[in-house]
């Protein structure tokens, strides 16, 4: 019964708030019971929510860079929808991290009037972000953008599908909502990869370049962090290694059909992004994202 | 004063002969075909024409229609059809096709006068 | 089996014109395949296309703040809004195409400077308060213009405008709400709001076009039911609406001559600087080149994407 209430609260909040008109201006988790289930370390849970939330936030920011620059107006609207979905997921997940007290130093820098989600998004240093290298990388051209979206959405869909059974009811509800969204992101990206790979000579070359650039980034998803291992054992989180076969299967299927060469899967490596090790491209992205909010730390927007 | 008018929602734009408006059909390679979009607003209703869009093929047309015309949960089902595949009555035929039915008022329920007391009519 | 093509008596132009006039006089809608005077078609294509261009170019001034929006909620709101504008542009291009125009062709005309967009989007957005003021004043003025267009005599245009107006009300509200929030914030934020109002107020008045006595094409458009109110009528309605909103917000409109005219029940503004308007609209606005360059890049740099999808469709028989 507990889970159903949470689910409904989220499902009903989706209508207005998702489209940002009307009355949907509430805190993302308003009205949701945020009690942590027994036997789960809140610090771990919060850290895990940051991983998934940061992935969504950073990818949303990357996709937003296409706005007013997209190939066709129809695609502009499509990319906007994907970015809005991810932004919505980021807000829920960051708010969930805040609700279990995982705020780090961000709370010291942000004034009290700043909600948790914004304290976390705007007042953490790059080293405190937990996203993978896959979402942080530059967009490149449209082909690379779509290959990356395909890879990121395939991974995310596999994770969220399993998280629907998470012992944390809030995470389970967020995942249930997200699965529907990310399934569309993946399919839309796959349709593009198909058309670009099997389109013209130029689009094939660009799509293959995109694949070759994106594949090495998948290494950052191969190994669980300690947090993920502990939470997976507790039935709260997903061990990323458990979804790798599924992800490989989907990506190989799409690339094969798109007449693209599937590169060798990168060897497993120690987690980097998930423990805060990032390249300069993330710092640059966050500089733009956070600049204005940090110029006016006492402001309310 | 410039030859300008407040036409269109976002206000003043120039008019006058320097702004060409010749309708022109052309098959430039980069053009995607025009699709007409029909949306079923909710169960129990017909699909209704809502507008058009450009897409390279049927599958992408469905994606685009979903993203463009149901951004606010306006629909439960979408049809797309290439505009060129629609057969329409031509304006020339307007009279022979439609004028006769204009006479047949007996097709319309209001043609029949029913006394007020009769229920469920 | 198809029937032989048989000759029918051709309807004469006078009868068609009479039928068109009667439809307009009865306040009924003209639909795409109806006969219509060439001037009506041309005027509509230009108006609808330039309206569409305005929506698309209008994404840019606010779009410049998408990546830097200062809260995740504001980012979502702004993204939904900018995305809506792409949608509105598409609804309108869709209406223009029912008149026999071609979207790619109209886009070319925009990029080549042969068709224009609203002069208001040639101003830069200098601070985040501009996002709020564009929602409040620019979208407010657009709504004043657009609500009557929901009754435009051309069916597809009227229907597109109904859809646009429904969605646009959120645009104005989010802008005004942002400004209210900022006015309750720090002194710096209040100063940002006042500065943005100072910069956007006069351009927003110019959105309604030149005064009626200098607007030679209005009469024909009014007769055709393409335009429903004169420029001055709409501008007056907008001023009367905006002044109390400014007071409620606590900002000063940058017009020392702004006075309440008890006799007529209207607010009267000072004189509008039409020379600036002429400069901005003829392409000397501060941002004109930037706006067009972005559209050109979106078209040209990504042409290979459009071509690829076309090639795929041909290969796979779609």
């Amino acid at each position: 019964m507990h889970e159903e209430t949470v689910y409904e609260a989220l499902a009903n909040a989706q209508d207005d708030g998702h489209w940002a008109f009307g009355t949907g201006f509430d805190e993302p988790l308003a009205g949701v019971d945020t009690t942590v289930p027994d036997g789960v370390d809140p610090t771990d849970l919060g850290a895990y929510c940051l991983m998934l939330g940061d992935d969504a936030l950073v990818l949303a920011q990357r996709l937003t860079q296409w706005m007013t620059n997209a190939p066709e107006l129809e695609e502009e609207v499509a990319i906007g929808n994907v970015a809005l979905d991810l932004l919505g997921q980021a807000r829920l997940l960051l708010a969930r991290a805040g609700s279990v007290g995982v705020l780090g130093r961000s709370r010291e820098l942000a004034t009290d009037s700043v909600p948790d989600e914004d304290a976390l998004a705007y007042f953490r240093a790059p080293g405190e972000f937990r996203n993978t290298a896959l979402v942080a990388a530059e967009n490149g051209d449209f082909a690379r953008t779509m290959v990356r979206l395909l890879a990121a959405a395939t991974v995310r869909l596999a994770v969220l599908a399993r998280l629907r059974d998470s012992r944390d009811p809030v995470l389970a509800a967020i995942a249930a909502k997200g699965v529907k969204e990310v399934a569309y992101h993946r399919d839309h990206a796959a349709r593009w990869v198909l058309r670009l790979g099997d389109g013209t000579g130029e689009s094939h070359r660009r799509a293959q370049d995109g694949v070759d650039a994106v594949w090495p980034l998948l290494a950052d998803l191969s190994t669980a962090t300690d947090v993920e291992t502990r939470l997976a054992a507790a039935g709260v989180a997903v061990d990323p290694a458990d979804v790798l076969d599924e992800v490989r299967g989907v990506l190989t299927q799409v690339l094969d059909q798109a007449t693209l060469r599937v590169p060798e899967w990168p060897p497993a490596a120690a987690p980097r992004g998930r423990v805060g090790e990032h390249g300069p491209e993330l710092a640059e992205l966050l500089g733009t994202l956070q600049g204005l909010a940090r110029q006016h730390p006492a402001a309310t927007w | 004063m410039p030859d300008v008018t407040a036409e269109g929602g976002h206000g003043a734009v120039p008019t006058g002969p320097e702004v060409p408006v010749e309708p022109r059909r052309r098959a430039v390679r980069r053009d995607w075909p025009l699709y007409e979009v029909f949306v079923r607003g909710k169960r129990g209703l017909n699909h209704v024409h809502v507008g058009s869009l450009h897409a390279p093929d049927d599958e992408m047309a469905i994606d685009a229609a979903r993203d463009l015309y149901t951004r606010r949960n306006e629909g439960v089902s979408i049809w797309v059809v290439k505009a060129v595949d629609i057969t329409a009555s031509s304006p020339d035929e307007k009279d022979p096709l439609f004028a006769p039915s204009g006479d047949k008022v007996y097709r319309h329920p209001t043609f029949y006068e029913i006394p007020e007391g009769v229920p469920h009519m | 089996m198809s029937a032989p093509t048989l000759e029918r008596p051709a309807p004469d132009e006078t009868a068609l014109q009479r039928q068109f006039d009667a439809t307009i006089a009865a306040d009924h809608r003209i639909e795409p395949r109806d006969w219509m005077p060439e001037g009506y078609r041309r005027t509509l294509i230009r108006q609808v296309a330039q309206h569409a261009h305005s929506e698309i170019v209008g994404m840019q001034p606010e779009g410049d703040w998408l990546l830097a929006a200062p809260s995740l909620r504001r980012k979502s709101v702004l993204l939904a809004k900018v995305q809506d504008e792409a949608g509105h542009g598409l609804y309108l291009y869709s209406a223009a195409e029912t008149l026999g125009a071609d979207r790619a062709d109209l886009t070319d005309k925009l990029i080549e400077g042969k068709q224009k967009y609203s002069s208001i989007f040639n101003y830069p957005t200098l601070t985040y308060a501009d996002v709020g003021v564009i929602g409040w004043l620019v979208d407010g003025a657009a709504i004043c213009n657009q609500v009557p267009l929901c009754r435009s005599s051309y069916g597809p245009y009227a229907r597109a405008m109904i859809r646009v107006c429904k969605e646009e009300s959120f645009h104005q509200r989010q802008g005004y709400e942002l400004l209210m929030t900022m006015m309750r914030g720090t002194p710096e934020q209040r100063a940002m709001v006042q500065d943005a109002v100072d910069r956007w107020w006069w351009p927003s008045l110019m959105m309604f076009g030149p005064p009626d006595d200098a607007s030679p094409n209005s009469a024909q458009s009014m007769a055709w039911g393409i335009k429903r109110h004169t420029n001055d009528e709409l501008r007056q309605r907008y001023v009367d609406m905006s002044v109390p909103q400014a007071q409620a917000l606590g900002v000063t409109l940058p017009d020392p001559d702004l006075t309440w005219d008890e006799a007529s029940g209207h607010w009267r503004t000072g004189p509008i600087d039409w020379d600036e308007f002429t400069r901005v609209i003829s392409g000397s606005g501060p941002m004109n080149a930037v706006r067009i360059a972005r559209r050109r890049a979106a078209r040209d740099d990504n042409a290979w994407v459009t071509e690829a999808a076309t090639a795929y469709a041909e290969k796979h028989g779609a």
Side-chain angles (χ1 to χ4, degrees):
Chain A
M1 47 120 226
H2 186 51
E3 286 171 47
E4 264 170 25
T5 344
V6 173
Y7 179 76
E8 274 167 25
L10 285 172
N12 296 337
Q14 178 181 338
D15 287 52
D16 264 20
H18 181 63
W19 292 114
F21 63 91
T23 53
F25 283 155
D26 302 325
E27 295 280 307
L29 288 180
V32 174
D33 180 356
T34 52
T35 317
V36 177
D38 287 344
V40 175
D41 178 356
T43 314
D44 279 356
L45 179 61
Y48 187 62
C49 289
L50 288 186
M51 295 177 191
L52 298 179
D54 289 346
D55 276 353
L57 176 60
V58 171
L59 185 53
Q61 183 81 351
R62 282 287 178 224
L63 290 170
T64 303
Q65 291 174 336
W66 276 100
M67 293 305 284
T68 74
N69 299 302
E72 294 281 337
L73 292 172
E74 281 83 357
E75 191 53 29
E76 193 113 46
V77 178
I79 289 176
N81 271 347
V82 175
L84 273 172
D85 285 344
L86 290 171
L87 213 45
Q89 293 179 20
R91 294 185 60 193
L92 289 165
L93 287 158
L94 296 186
R96 180 56 173 150
S99 75
V100 296
V102 172
L103 287 152
R105 291 188 309 116
S106 71
R107 207 59 281 182
E108 296 160 28
L109 298 169
T111 39
D112 289 347
S113 60
V114 175
D116 288 349
E117 58 176 277
D118 290 333
L120 287 167
Y122 291 91
F123 293 93
R124 272 183 302 158
E128 295 171 273
F129 273 74
R130 294 291 177 264
N131 57 278
T132 68
L134 177 63
V135 295
E138 309 263 359
N139 281 328
D141 63 7
F142 185 72
R144 197 199 289 193
T145 300
M146 282 299 135
V147 170
R148 186 253 299 276
L149 179 60
L150 171 67
T154 303
V155 173
R156 193 168 183 83
L157 181 60
V159 171
L160 292 183
R162 286 163 179 76
L163 282 180
R164 286 178 298 184
D165 299 323
S166 171
R167 277 187 58 236
D168 176 34
V170 182
L171 204 46
I174 294 171
K177 176 177 182 285
V179 160
K180 295 178 209 153
E181 297 168 347
V182 178
Y184 178 75
H185 306 170
R186 183 195 66 176
D187 292 354
H188 184 70
R191 279 193 269 280
W192 266 119
V193 171
L194 222 54
R195 278 152 186 79
L196 298 178
D198 195 13
T200 62
E202 180 181 7
S203 72
H204 179 87
R205 178 182 59 74
R206 286 175 181 266
Q208 189 64 60
D209 287 351
V211 169
D212 293 344
V214 166
W215 244 241
L217 304 172
L218 291 163
D220 203 21
L221 293 141
S222 54
T223 311
T225 57
D226 295 345
V227 168
E228 287 166 299
T229 307
R230 282 195 297 273
L231 286 180
V236 170
V238 177
D239 185 327
D242 290 348
V243 304
L244 277 188
D245 280 348
E246 181 183 328
V247 168
R248 267 165 94 158
V250 171
L251 295 181
T252 304
Q253 188 193 339
V254 175
L255 263 53
D256 280 346
Q257 205 184 328
T259 71
L260 293 165
R261 181 177 41 77
V262 184
E264 206 158 311
W265 197 264
R272 294 178 55 84
R274 295 286 190 229
V275 295
E277 292 170 25
H278 305 287
E281 72 282 1
L282 182 71
E284 196 195 331
L285 177 141
L286 292 177
T288 310
L289 189 146
Q290 298 176 330
L292 177 61
R294 286 181 173 225
Q295 267 170 35
H296 304 274
T300 42
W301 304 96
Chain B
M1 189 54 61
D3 194 10
V4 173
T5 187
E7 52 181 32
H10 281 292
V13 287
T15 62
E18 79 283 4
V19 181
V21 289
E22 285 310 305
R24 185 154 64 95
R25 279 270 170 222
R26 47 166 219 178
V28 173
R29 169 113 179 112
R30 68 166 192 277
D31 285 3
W32 287 341
L34 186 69
Y35 280 82
E36 299 295 335
V37 180
F38 302 78
V39 171
R40 185 198 298 287
K42 55 182 172 191
R43 291 174 187 284
L45 298 182
N46 285 318
H47 283 78
V48 174
H49 181 243
V50 291
S52 64
L53 51 80
H54 288 268
D57 55 57
D58 297 356
E59 211 179 17
M60 294 305 270
I62 285 283
D63 272 14
R66 167 203 183 270
D67 285 322
L68 178 59
Y69 288 105
T70 66
R71 294 202 304 293
R72 293 184 164 85
N73 298 321
E74 291 100 329
V76 295
S77 161
I78 297 171
W79 290 346
V80 291
V81 57
K82 280 202 184 99
V84 296
D85 291 338
I86 292 181
T87 308
S89 59
S90 81
D92 289 355
E93 293 162 4
K94 184 171 176 176
D95 280 348
L97 261 181
F98 296 111
S101 61
D103 298 336
K104 298 182 179 62
V105 289
Y106 47 81
R107 284 189 192 279
H108 298 276
T110 47
F111 177 72
Y112 306 94
E113 262 184 57
I114 305 287
E116 287 214 349
V118 182
H120 305 306
M121 289 297 291
Chain C
M1 279 284 280
S2 61
T5 310
L6 303 176
E7 283 289 314
R8 284 218 187 99
D12 66 304
E13 191 107 328
T14 331
L16 290 169
Q17 177 77 51
R18 254 203 317 274
Q19 199 174 356
F20 173 86
D21 292 341
T23 307
I24 299 279
D27 204 14
H28 290 166
R29 299 290 169 266
I30 304 295
E31 294 296 343
R33 290 166 67 86
D34 290 344
W35 181 91
M36 59 188 85
E38 227 14 68
Y40 177 87
R41 181 189 299 274
R42 276 207 300 272
T43 304
L44 261 175
I45 288 179
R46 185 186 54 223
Q47 172 168 339
V48 177
Q50 299 196 140
H51 193 168
H53 297 332
S54 301
E55 294 281 358
I56 298 305
V57 174
M59 296 167 70
Q60 293 183 30
E62 292 168 286
D64 289 345
W65 285 100
L66 272 174
L67 297 171
S71 79
L72 295 185
R73 195 190 103 191
R74 289 290 168 204
K75 193 189 277 288
S76 308
V77 170
L78 188 59
L79 182 51
K81 194 199 164 197
V82 171
Q83 187 205 32
D84 267 354
E85 279 153 12
H88 296 173
L90 282 169
Y91 305 158
L92 287 160
Y93 283 126
S94 169
E97 288 189 294
T98 64
L99 291 157
D102 174 76
R103 190 172 98 200
D105 184 42
L106 297 174
T107 305
D108 290 347
K109 290 195 168 103
L110 166 71
I111 291 171
E112 291 156 15
K114 291 180 185 162
Q115 286 184 349
K116 306 285 181 184
Y117 54 90
S118 174
S119 55
I120 195 85
F121 301 119
N122 280 340
Y123 293 92
T125 41
L126 301 182
T127 74
Y128 205 75
D130 290 41
V131 170
V133 171
I134 287 178
W136 172 39
L137 293 181
V138 175
D139 292 332
I143 290 170
C144 279
N145 269 328
Q146 285 169 345
V147 167
L149 292 174
C150 296
R151 288 171 48 242
S152 162
S153 63
Y154 187 59
Y157 189 31
R159 290 192 287 275
M161 287 324 303
I162 290 171
R163 216 182 161 90
V164 167
C165 282
K166 275 187 190 163
E167 298 182 354
E168 194 95 32
S169 65
F170 132 60
H171 295 185
Q172 198 193 12
R173 286 178 53 172
Q174 65 81 29
Y176 195 75
E177 193 231 32
L178 169 61
L179 297 177
M180 286 198 305
T181 310
M182 290 182 70
M183 290 300 284
R184 286 194 300 267
T186 63
E188 270 173 304
Q189 284 185 293
R190 281 192 288 279
M192 280 162 77
V193 174
Q194 183 61 56
D195 168 63
V197 170
D198 290 346
R199 284 180 288 111
W200 289 94
W201 171 248
W202 289 107
S204 77
L205 291 182
M206 296 180 201
M207 283 176 72
F208 295 92
D212 295 346
D213 51 25
S215 192
N217 298 308
S218 282
Q220 179 61 72
S221 287
M222 301 264 297
W224 273 333
I226 295 173
K227 201 175 155 116
R228 290 289 181 173
H229 301 280
T230 71
N231 297 350
D232 286 335
E233 280 168 11
L234 289 168
R235 184 168 17 243
Q236 187 62 57
R237 187 178 302 180
Y238 169 73
V239 170
D240 289 341
M241 238 175 50
S242 301
V243 173
Q245 290 170 348
Q247 290 167 341
L249 196 57
V251 293
T252 310
L253 295 174
D255 179 357
D257 298 330
L258 187 68
T259 44
W260 172 250
D261 178 7
E262 190 70 54
S264 65
H266 289 299
W267 287 94
R268 299 294 179 205
T269 66
I272 295 174
D273 179 2
W274 290 107
D275 290 342
E276 179 192 333
F277 176 79
T278 312
R279 274 194 307 277
V280 171
I281 208 162
S282 58
S284 345
M287 298 299 282
N288 181 268
V290 176
R291 303 286 184 240
I292 291 299
R294 184 94 64 97
R295 286 323 304 155
R296 185 189 297 277
R299 181 192 68 179
D300 296 348
D301 298 353
N302 296 307
W304 65 272
V305 176
T306 313
E307 279 163 16
T310 303
Y312 178 89
E314 280 163 7
K315 273 187 223 177
H316 295 270

